[in-house]
Amino acid sequence: MFDDLNDLYQQVILDHSKKPRNYGRMEHPTCDACGKNPLCGDQIQVFAVMDGDKILEVKFEGDGCAIFKASASMMTDALKGKTQAESNVLFDEFHELITKGTAPEGNHLGKLEVFGGVNRFPARVKCALLSWRAAMAAVGTGEKTVSTE
Amino acid sequence: MSETLSLSERRADFPILDQKVHGRPLVYLDNAATSQKPRVVIDALSNYYLRDNANVHRGIHELSNRASAAFENTRERAAKFLNAKSAEEIVFTRGTTESINLVAQTWGLANLKPGDVILLTEMEHHSNIVPWQMLAKRTGAKLAFVPVMGDEGLLDLAAADQLLDAPVKLFALTHISNALGTVNPVADLCAKARKRGIVTLVDGAQSAGHRRVDMQEIGCDFFAASGHKMCGPTGIGLLYGRHELLEAMPPWQGGGDMISNVDYFESAWNKVPHKFEAGTPNIADTIALHTALDYLDEIGRDRIEHHDLELASYAYDRLATLPRIRLFGPAKGRAGLVSFHFADIHAHDVVMMADMEGVALRGGHHCTQPLMKKYGVSSTSRASFYFYNTTQEVDRMIDVLKAVQKFFGA
Ligand SMILES: Cc1ncc(COP(=O)(O)O)c(C=O)c1O
């Protein structure tokens, strides 16, 4: 059973979903934001410590499916040390990967490419993007609450 | 499982069940969201449009007479189905949600004052919470909730007794919880409310198509139901209201059909129930609902209830053998659904993987977010049954869930 799903739930994804990195509240974030997927009840809060426009620390707390958790976990690793501009580029690349299944030449996705199977499961696109939307809201200047609806 | 076997013969009446989903035979276990429709109901819909379609209550020609008669016959049929005293006690709505909103916006606005209490329970569907929150904001009334006890999900009846002694004007509660499968003792609770002069509304969305619902036995003032959960089409629902109450209530929407006379500055309302039905109604779906009610009674609602219980108990017992599972709702005497939660696998993953094997479950908060928060979960998975489901289908669900657990290494 589930041979068709191995593409979606790659081993790295399962691993991160079971043991998410950088999980938990942050005592003194310099910025934070929350995200919600009202349809399935997924919720996330993203905390970050910034030094100027550089992201020093990122943590998250929330509840959701395996794709959601793994995406949030791997995102926190990926964003550490990036500038705002670099994180925007990375988000755009990730967004393209999730929605189209391919990433532009010379992208910076690295390990994040394991999410390449998500685009074949339209219902899971939101799960993979929620943490990123919340993080972009946290480190950016826009609304501090994002919703996938 | 004799009942189960004989009722599964009814599967042949449901063309939709005979298909493959993702290459596997469909196992439809999302009946609490909406039931499937038997061929007779689908035929009733198309026959109406093929032969009888016309507007109701306004024509003098043959087709309009036919449509009007069939439309009003459904009202008679629904009254009999619910054992109302007369067809005038049946208002057609779009469904349970609209029925509840109608009561909130007519009876509620006319009768509630600041400080009055609207009593609900902690297991209500959003559609039996939000309309009352809106009403409370407008009138200054307050909300109170009968607690639900533990994962067994029974109402705290001692607390209900105490809460009913507050200045409660309305007690609105669900007959069957769509999130837990709990069957509430609505007749006892309505009797207690009535002794104190409290008006009652029973949300029958999950019960009307699954067991006998007798307005005289339940003793409620209002009862709401949805056609689409009882083999009928979407877009048609029922509101039962006791005649005196409907009579005293102001109308709801204004327009054609709900008036007896209109002048430029003033109008007079039509009789009940027509004063609550402005505009051209949902004629086709109403007429097809008649067929659905006939169909259910031909099977026998006692048999459906029995089958629900047998299948849900079987599913409950088999689910209980899975590791790291949390089951919600009563172990005994439950309605035809089971809600569950794996400690380490999110419902969204469970339901999607089940779908890949052709098994349709529901995962989420089931429109009972406050209840989910109380249980400390964001979502559960739910299997909900109808008379066409079989023990073999439950077995397939269990096999799939075991494979899901294995996949996640749980
Ligand atoms: C207990 C309960 N009440 C109300 C509703 C709302 O019914 P509808 O969406 O048909 O108006 C539902 C439907 O899921 C339900 O299960």
Side-chain angles (χ1 to χ4, degrees):
Chain A
M1 261 185 232
F2 307 137
D3 291 343
D4 296 347
L5 291 179
N6 288 329
D7 239 22
L8 177 64
Y9 295 108
Q10 304 235 4
Q11 203 50 48
V12 188
I13 291 181
L14 288 179
D15 179 53
H16 273 267
S17 78
K18 279 183 222 158
K19 287 183 246 100
R21 323 293 194 262
N22 306 303
Y23 189 86
R25 292 194 84 73
M26 196 185 273
E27 283 308 314
H28 302 290
T30 55
C31 56
D32 65 332
C34 49
K36 262 195 185 110
N37 180 347
L39 206 64
C40 49
D42 289 356
Q43 282 201 35
I44 186 170
Q45 211 170 354
V46 175
F47 313 91
V49 177
M50 308 274 294
D51 179 13
D53 79 339
K54 193 163 174 159
I55 303 167
L56 299 183
E57 289 291 331
V58 196
K59 289 184 83 173
F60 81 100
E61 198 172 46
D63 186 29
C65 66
I67 303 300
F68 159 85
K69 264 205 208 129
S71 170
S73 170
M74 294 181 72
M75 173 195 75
T76 56
D77 278 346
L79 287 182
K80 262 189 228 179
K82 297 270 188 310
T83 63
Q84 267 171 340
E86 286 166 343
S87 65
N88 282 336
V89 170
L90 196 59
F91 174 59
D92 288 343
E93 291 170 356
F94 187 72
H95 190 273
E96 194 168 327
L97 177 74
I98 297 296
T99 52
K100 302 209 176 84
T102 52
E105 268 315 295
N107 66 69
H108 308 77
L109 290 170
K111 286 187 207 158
L112 295 174
E113 296 224 34
V114 294
F115 290 97
V118 173
N119 97 298
R120 285 182 36 232
F121 301 88
R124 309 311 287 274
V125 164
K126 285 183 202 166
C127 312
L129 290 179
L130 183 62
S131 57
W132 282 86
R133 291 230 158 90
M136 292 303 111
V139 305
T141 48
E143 281 279 335
K144 292 300 176 197
T145 302
V146 297
S147 167
T148 55
E149 292 304 302
Chain B
M1 293 270 147
S2 48
E3 284 287 335
T4 311
L5 287 178
S6 63
L7 276 186
S8 68
E9 285 168 14
R10 290 287 177 174
R11 289 180 74 80
D13 298 342
F14 293 79
I16 199 171
L17 295 176
D18 182 22
Q19 67 173 294
K20 288 193 169 161
V21 165
H22 301 301
R24 314 284 198 284
L26 168 66
V27 173
Y28 184 77
L29 301 180
D30 194 17
N31 293 286
T34 198
S35 78
Q36 297 302 349
K37 325 300 172 200
R39 192 187 290 277
V40 284
V41 168
I42 300 166
D43 286 346
L45 271 176
S46 62
N47 285 340
Y48 168 74
Y49 282 122
L50 287 171
R51 298 190 197 128
D52 303 327
N53 177 52
N55 212 326
V56 292
H57 302 150
R58 38 190 89 166
I60 317 179
H61 57 79
E62 169 64 15
L63 293 191
S64 174
N65 289 339
R66 272 191 231 156
S68 303
F71 183 80
E72 288 305 323
N73 277 342
T74 306
R75 206 188 297 279
E76 295 279 348
R77 184 65 186 86
K80 212 171 120 209
F81 191 82
L82 299 177
N83 195 24
K85 285 191 176 135
S86 76
E88 284 150 27
E89 295 185 316
I90 304 296
V91 181
F92 290 126
T93 63
R94 278 195 300 130
T96 305
T97 303
E98 190 169 271
S99 296
I100 296 172
N101 277 279
L102 191 160
V103 175
Q105 288 171 35
T106 57
W107 180 89
L109 275 181
N111 287 283
L112 289 183
K113 306 181 303 299
D116 286 344
V117 175
I118 302 167
L119 185 59
L120 308 172
T121 82
E122 286 181 344
M123 67 172 81
E124 296 312 311
H125 188 278
H126 294 165
S127 64
N128 200 25
I129 298 179
V130 182
W132 306 118
Q133 290 174 343
M134 292 162 69
L135 178 65
K137 282 235 167 68
R138 282 181 71 177
T139 59
K142 292 180 302 197
L143 302 180
F145 295 86
V146 178
V148 170
M149 299 183 300
D151 287 3
E152 270 231 279
L154 299 176
L155 287 181
D156 183 341
L157 296 175
D161 276 340
Q162 283 190 349
L163 284 162
L164 283 166
D165 282 333
V168 176
K169 269 279 172 65
L170 174 87
F171 184 19
L173 78 162
T174 195
H175 193 173
I176 287 175
S177 159
N178 66 307
L180 302 168
T182 310
V183 185
N184 289 321
V186 284
D188 288 354
L189 288 167
C190 287
K192 283 178 178 167
R194 173 166 276 196
K195 263 194 206 125
R196 295 164 167 89
I198 297 166
V199 168
T200 51
L201 179 145
V202 171
D203 171 347
Q206 295 297 339
S207 63
H210 289 261
R211 56 182 55 218
R212 278 190 309 115
V213 283
D214 180 326
M215 295 305 103
Q216 311 314 316
E217 229 170 86
I218 294 174
C220 53
D221 294 300
F222 297 107
F223 185 93
S226 298
H228 71 92
K229 294 187 201 278
M230 45 204 275
C231 291
T234 53
I236 179 65
L238 301 172
L239 171 66
Y240 157 84
R242 265 204 309 121
H243 200 272
E244 308 93 276
L245 283 166
L246 291 183
E247 202 62 70
M249 277 152 61
W252 186 31
Q253 294 173 334
D257 258 5
M258 53 76 69
I259 38 74
S260 63
N261 182 55
V262 177
D263 287 317
Y264 278 118
F265 292 100
E266 225 170 325
S267 299
W269 314 137
N270 202 339
K271 305 187 301 267
V272 296
H274 305 287
K275 77 173 176 189
F276 301 108
E277 295 175 1
T280 298
N282 185 351
I283 307 165
D285 293 320
T286 306
I287 291 171
L289 178 65
H290 190 163
T291 309
L293 301 183
D294 285 347
Y295 180 81
L296 290 176
D297 274 344
E298 183 202 318
I299 295 174
R301 278 178 282 163
D302 289 337
R303 287 176 73 204
I304 296 175
E305 178 185 351
H306 182 76
H307 177 272
D308 273 2
L309 175 65
E310 254 190 298
L311 214 52
S313 305
Y314 179 70
Y316 186 95
D317 291 344
R318 290 218 60 193
L319 284 166
T321 65
L322 299 181
R324 301 160 75 74
I325 195 168
R326 182 174 170 195
L327 287 159
F328 294 94
K332 295 247 161 352
R334 60 171 42 247
L337 62 96
V338 187
S339 209
F340 54 94
H341 183 263
F342 291 119
D344 30 28
I345 314 172
H346 195 270
H348 202 162
D349 295 307
V350 174
V351 169
M352 181 208 176
M353 294 179 83
D355 177 56
M356 296 305 286
E357 288 297 315
V359 179
L361 301 174
R362 176 83 178 268
H365 50 60
H366 314 292
C367 295
T368 55
Q369 273 182 332
L371 183 69
M372 295 289 124
K373 283 181 200 148
K374 179 186 162 100
Y375 284 125
V377 295
S378 64
S379 57
T380 70
S381 308
R382 180 185 73 189
S384 54
F385 310 107
Y386 216 1
F387 51 84
Y388 39 70
N389 291 123
T390 64
T391 50
Q392 289 79 6
E393 289 182 306
V394 174
D395 292 340
R396 266 202 55 209
M397 172 186 78
I398 298 286
D399 287 345
V400 168
L401 293 176
K402 281 182 176 164
V404 170
Q405 287 196 308
K406 197 166 150 222
F407 188 92
F408 279 94

